[in-house]
Amino acid sequence: MVHSKGKKAIILGGSSGIGLETSRLLAENGAEVIVGSRRGALDEPMPGIQAESVDVLDREALKEFFARHGQIDYLVNAATGGQRAVGPFLEMDFEGFQGSFAKLWGYANSIHIGARHVNSNGSIVLVSGYPARRFKPGYIAISTVGNAVEGFVRGMAHELKPVRINAVAPGLIDTPMFLQEGHHREIFLSESTRNHLIPRAGKPHEVAKAILFALENDFVTGTTIDVDGGALIH
Ligand SMILES: NC(=O)c1ccc[n+]([C@@H]2O[C@H](COP(=O)([O-])OP(=O)(O)OC[C@H]3O[C@@H](n4cnc5c(N)ncnc54)[C@H](OP(=O)(O)O)[C@@H]3O)[C@@H](O)[C@H]2O)c1
């Protein structure tokens, strides 16, 4: 049986990278998929996926967006939210550190506003990231935000039950979040992953498969699923 067939899913941040692959996989499995992102369109239209413009940091727009779509079965938020500050904390522009939390505010907004639209047998997935539990110099802002996302999911699993909520924590994944191109990109991706147990960047569909697992498996809630090529334990 295909579990997602006939389900209605909202994928915030679904126009690129991990969110886009999740949308594609759900649509291929027969779900009705609504993508929300600021640009409000996919680079290429895909069957079964409708794209709309919504900024996860704009609560009024988000309220209208969810109200328009009524009840849903699945809610995924994979939106990056904004800029990520990199560098040592003591030298970091403090506004940059605070700005990195846009990802958390976008996630919190989408649950605060969207959770009441999720059916009682429905499921929610947020995307954290391996720096949440693997500290590296220069990544303190990203680690702190990732930790907050995973803690939020654990706590919210109690408040939202019977609706399930989980986090998926990707390792380094080859997506448009990284702006490098060509040779520079190849060097960046291979250098950043060369000490990982699986020494390559992950692919968005490898993370999307874990998101689908968390959405579909009725016995999984309040946890974080790592899809990181061994980045956590290297
Ligand atoms: N790639 C990695 O190596 C990696 C590693 C660990 C964790 N992650 C996490 O995985 C998630 C997905 O990342 P990705 O690599 O797939 O990034 P991506 O390819 O850059 O996609 C980000 C998506 O978020 C949307 N978005 C950003 N800000 C938004 C906002 N304010 N409102 C609505 N939509 C917004 C973007 O669309 P618009 O620009 O049109 O709004 C886009 O659809 C993020 O939470 C990221 O932190 C990624």
Side-chain angles (χ1 to χ4, degrees):
M1 190 185 83
V2 185
H3 214 74
S4 290
K5 194 171 170 55
K7 302 282 187 189
K8 185 169 174 182
I10 285 182
I11 315 295
L12 297 166
S15 62
S16 173
I18 293 166
L20 177 62
E21 281 307 309
T22 305
S23 302
R24 188 200 309 269
L25 199 55
L26 279 167
E28 280 172 6
N29 283 315
E32 172 193 351
V33 180
I34 299 140
V35 158
S37 75
R38 291 166 303 184
R39 81 189 81 157
L42 305 184
D43 287 345
E44 291 170 24
M46 289 182 198
I49 306 179
Q50 169 192 341
E52 287 186 25
S53 178
V54 68
D55 186 331
V56 293
L57 301 176
D58 181 341
R59 289 179 55 84
E60 288 310 312
L62 212 47
K63 276 181 199 162
E64 282 171 27
F65 174 82
F66 276 106
R68 222 173 25 251
H69 294 295
Q71 287 304 111
I72 56 172
D73 301 294
Y74 296 156
L75 171 59
V76 175
N77 195 339
T80 40
Q83 294 299 313
R84 310 168 342 133
V86 179
F89 181 66
L90 296 188
E91 289 155 34
M92 189 177 280
D93 162 32
F94 201 70
E95 282 182 12
F97 182 76
Q98 288 177 315
S100 301
F101 280 79
K103 169 166 160 169
L104 179 69
W105 305 140
Y107 283 6
N109 281 338
S110 66
I111 303 304
H112 195 231
I113 295 164
R116 68 196 73 225
H117 293 270
V118 179
N119 291 330
S120 58
N121 61 349
S123 178
I124 301 172
V125 172
L126 303 180
V127 181
S128 63
Y130 75 105
R133 279 161 288 127
R134 180 76 167 90
F135 291 90
K136 284 199 299 189
Y139 282 77
I140 187 66
I142 294 166
S143 291
T144 308
V145 173
N147 249 289
V149 170
E150 294 182 5
F152 180 74
V153 161
R154 280 195 296 277
M156 288 307 298
H158 291 272
E159 291 199 21
L160 294 178
K161 68 179 186 349
V163 171
R164 296 180 297 103
I165 178 167
N166 292 286
V168 168
L172 195 131
I173 311 298
D174 185 0
T175 73
M177 187 176 85
F178 300 111
L179 301 175
Q180 300 90 331
E181 289 180 358
H183 183 62
H184 291 297
R185 186 176 183 88
E186 277 170 36
I187 299 282
F188 164 74
L189 293 175
S190 60
E191 282 297 305
S192 313
T193 54
R194 93 186 131 87
N195 294 326
H196 295 179
L197 272 64
I198 300 171
R200 64 166 173 84
K203 300 179 181 117
H205 80 260
E206 292 169 325
V207 183
K209 283 199 268 189
I211 295 176
L212 214 71
F213 167 80
L215 289 174
E216 291 185 341
N217 192 310
D218 292 333
F219 201 52
V220 178
T221 196
T223 196
T224 299
I225 300 170
D226 295 304
V227 187
D228 65 3
L232 264 186
I233 58 165
H234 81 79

